[in-house]
Amino acid sequence: MTEALFSAASLAMLDEACSGVLILGEGLERDEFLSSRLTRAEVGRLLLIIARLMDGLPAEASRRLPEIDWAGWSLLARTLPDQGPASDDTLWFALTSLVPATLMWLRLYRQREPALFAFAG
């Protein structure tokens, strides 16, 4: 698989996983979200997928998407597996800030730089 195809496939999966997180968390208040074991677990699973996809993107793709919070995703990947109050804050921050911003930038970049998202070799 070429780097361009890997990037396009990864970016498509990122978009899908971010959308999934937002759908799961839609309309939930913090306490409601944190007390829902199933929703919380699925959001956590999707967030780890997103963080791993972000980490696996080729350097060129990440350089071409500078507004995405790469450091935030890297930190999330390291802190998310921890349990407890810090994990609560991490999950809520990702759900309400990091994911929406990432999805917004991905969609904007899809319009600005369609070649990044193209499945052409």
Side-chain angles (χ1 to χ4, degrees), residues 92-102:
W92 188 247
F93 173 75
L95 176 64
T96 59
S97 295
L98 195 56
V99 170
T102 299

Side-chain angles (χ1 to χ4, degrees), residues 34-92:
L34 294 174
S35 66
S36 173
R37 285 189 5 226
L38 293 176
T39 301
R40 180 188 167 117
E42 183 61 10
V43 165
R45 186 186 74 79
L46 289 172
L47 290 173
L48 282 175
I49 289 171
I50 294 166
R52 288 178 182 145
L53 284 167
M54 299 284 265
D55 187 51
L57 280 171
E60 177 61 23
S62 62
R63 278 193 302 276
R64 291 176 67 183
L65 307 169
E67 282 90 354
I68 290 179
D69 186 357
W70 299 98
W73 282 107
S74 178
L75 179 62
L76 180 125
R78 291 189 309 271
T79 59
L80 194 59
D82 298 334
Q83 298 298 314
S87 177
D88 291 349
D89 292 339
T90 300
L91 284 168
W92 188 247

